Amino acid sequence: MRDNVNGLISQKNIDALLITDPYNMRYISGFRGGEGVLYISQNQHVLITDSRYTEAAQKESDFTVTEENKEHSRTELLNRCISQDHARTLGYEDCSMLCSDFNKFENELHVEAWTPMGQSVNKLRQVKTPEELDYLRKAESIGDAAFSAMLGYIKEGQTELEVAARLEYEMKMNGAEGLSFDSIVASGIHSSMPHAVPSEKKLEYGDFLTMDFGCIYKGYCSDMTRTIVIGKANDKQKEIYDIVLCAHKESMAAVKPGMKGCEVDKIARDIITEAGYGDCFGHGLGHSVGLFIHEEPRFSMTDQTVMKANMIETIEPGIYIPGFGGVRIEDMILITEDGYEDLAHSPKELIEL
């Protein structure tokens, strides 16, 4: 990891780099606390945090851990590092740093120039390591176990909030540290909203029920969506479900290194469009997942990124019809040297409860 960061420092022609994004802090240093700053140069690797986290930081990271407090502020400690390096140019994460934090650093740190890093630090996380892949597989398997348990729990009369609460309980009982995002549980006409918020609406016979959920395992996220029907599906529901399932399977089957994100998206989008529902699929086909739930690159109409082995992506086509309902099916996949590995193992065919 250090070699990649040091290479980035050389590439950007800067003397040192500040890392404040908590996900990049974890990725680069191993520190999971998320509160603090990394100072990285060719000569120094320093993690500055407060007394709440210093013990954990020393256990989790091989960086030099320095405590900030009333006597020694963060900027004072950073200036010591800068002075030791005689650093003149400092890189910073302009896509995630708050303006107020940047203004403070700019006013108090003794450097001559600031270099915005754009997405260059985040891009270091795109290709996953074997250890990361183990964590991601485990996280997705927790989602599988939770979904399986839910099939024996869900019934008419329950509210979306009750279903969401039980779903989150099942993930935690199967080893989740927490949720990778707020669970989406949408029934009936609510399922036409891709990011619907669970409500007090009760499940009714004939409802679509879309559940989009994910958990965190050792800091890494999972993401999965399944749509089922309460009772028996009607012909229209079956038609829509089959189109989405076809788009899901066909686009997944085509994935391999060398493809662009927009090319994978087009496969699913063309299937849905040719079936007459192109206007009902507004979001991208998928996104990367790692320490954060929505990472780059993406399967979208505009993403020109060339896919590489050991990248993680979601495949999540959908059709959403206001006043009727919607369907989304989502798995996380690993792009392999010659294709893909589906990390989810829950059934994809339409389930009627």
Side-chain angles (χ1 to χ4, degrees), residues 126 128 133 136 140 223 252 255 261 264 285-290 293 295-300 303 305-308 310-316 330-335 340-343:
Q126 289 186 350
K128 310 306 184 192
L133 294 176
L136 288 159
E140 191 79 335
D223 198 357
M252 183 181 293
V255 172
V264 182
L285 178 65
H287 55 86
S288 189
V289 181
I293 187 60
E295 296 190 348
E296 304 294 335
R298 295 174 181 259
F299 290 157
S300 73
D303 199 316
T305 305
V306 176
M307 297 296 141
K308 299 177 182 177
N310 294 330
M311 286 181 170
I312 293 283
E313 296 290 328
T314 65
I315 301 280
E316 48 180 306
E330 175 186 19
D331 287 1
M332 275 169 47
I333 65 166
L334 163 65
I335 300 175
Y340 73 95
E341 173 192 340
D342 193 345
L343 303 189

Side-chain angles (χ1 to χ4, degrees), residues 1 16 22 24 28 51-52 58 72 88 118-119 146 151 155 181 216 227 234 293 299 325 343 347:
M1 220 71 73
N24 287 334
I28 293 168
S51 62
R52 296 172 296 170
Q58 288 164 351
H72 303 289
R88 295 181 178 181
Q119 293 293 332
L151 294 179
K155 61 184 179 182
F181 57 94
I216 298 172
T227 301
N234 61 38
I293 187 60
F299 290 157
L343 303 189

Side-chain angles (χ1 to χ4, degrees), residues 21 84 144 178 322:
D21 179 273
Q84 185 174 328
D144 278 329

Side-chain angles (χ1 to χ4, degrees), residues 7-8 20 65 70 101 120 133 157 181 189 205 214 221 229 242 249 262 308 315 349:
L8 188 58
T20 52
V65 178
K70 291 181 180 179
D101 290 339
S120 59
L133 294 176
F181 57 94
I189 61 173
Y205 186 91
C221 298
V229 172
D242 287 346
K249 288 183 173 181
C262 57
K308 299 177 182 177
I315 301 280
E349 282 66 35

Side-chain angles (χ1 to χ4, degrees), residues 117-299:
M117 301 300 289
Q119 293 293 332
S120 59
V121 179
N122 293 340
K123 286 181 178 179
L124 298 177
R125 294 167 26 208
Q126 289 186 350
V127 176
K128 310 306 184 192
T129 67
E131 182 181 51
E132 289 180 299
L133 294 176
D134 287 342
Y135 295 157
L136 288 159
R137 285 191 184 95
K138 177 61 177 178
E140 191 79 335
S141 74
I142 291 171
D144 278 329
F147 178 71
S148 179
M150 292 301 293
L151 294 179
Y153 170 79
I154 295 168
K155 61 184 179 182
E156 284 182 68
Q158 293 168 340
T159 68
E160 294 171 347
L161 285 168
E162 288 174 325
V163 173
R166 183 67 180 220
L167 182 56
E168 292 163 9
Y169 166 84
E170 293 292 348
M171 286 190 283
K172 289 190 176 182
M173 289 300 292
N174 279 282
E177 299 170 357
L179 304 179
S180 48
F181 57 94
D182 291 338
S183 300
I184 298 168
V185 174
S187 64
I189 61 173
H190 288 179
S191 62
S192 68
M193 297 181 285
H195 277 199
V197 177
S199 71
E200 295 181 353
K201 180 191 175 304
K202 293 183 178 182
L203 308 188
E204 301 175 51
Y205 186 91
D207 274 354
F208 271 138
L209 175 62
T210 297
M211 294 173 285
D212 188 343
F213 52 98
C215 71
I216 298 172
Y217 178 77
K218 293 191 182 298
Y220 285 80
C221 298
S222 70
D223 198 357
M224 180 188 301
T225 305
R226 288 295 184 271
T227 301
I228 65 175
V229 172
I230 308 301
K232 292 293 184 180
N234 61 38
D235 290 344
K236 184 73 169 180
Q237 288 174 319
K238 291 177 181 178
E239 175 200 358
I240 292 169
Y241 193 96
D242 287 346
I243 295 166
V244 173
L245 182 59
C246 178
H248 176 87
K249 288 183 173 181
E250 291 298 320
S251 56
M252 183 181 293
V255 172
K256 60 183 179 181
M259 293 189 74
K260 294 180 180 179
C262 57
E263 293 173 338
V264 182
D265 179 276
K266 187 175 187 300
I267 294 169
R269 199 166 300 279
D270 284 352
I271 290 170
I272 292 173
T273 299
E274 288 167 9
Y277 293 99
D279 292 340
C280 302
F281 178 30
H283 58 74
L285 178 65
H287 55 86
S288 189
V289 181
L291 288 166
F292 184 58
I293 187 60
H294 292 120
E295 296 190 348
E296 304 294 335
R298 295 174 181 259
F299 290 157

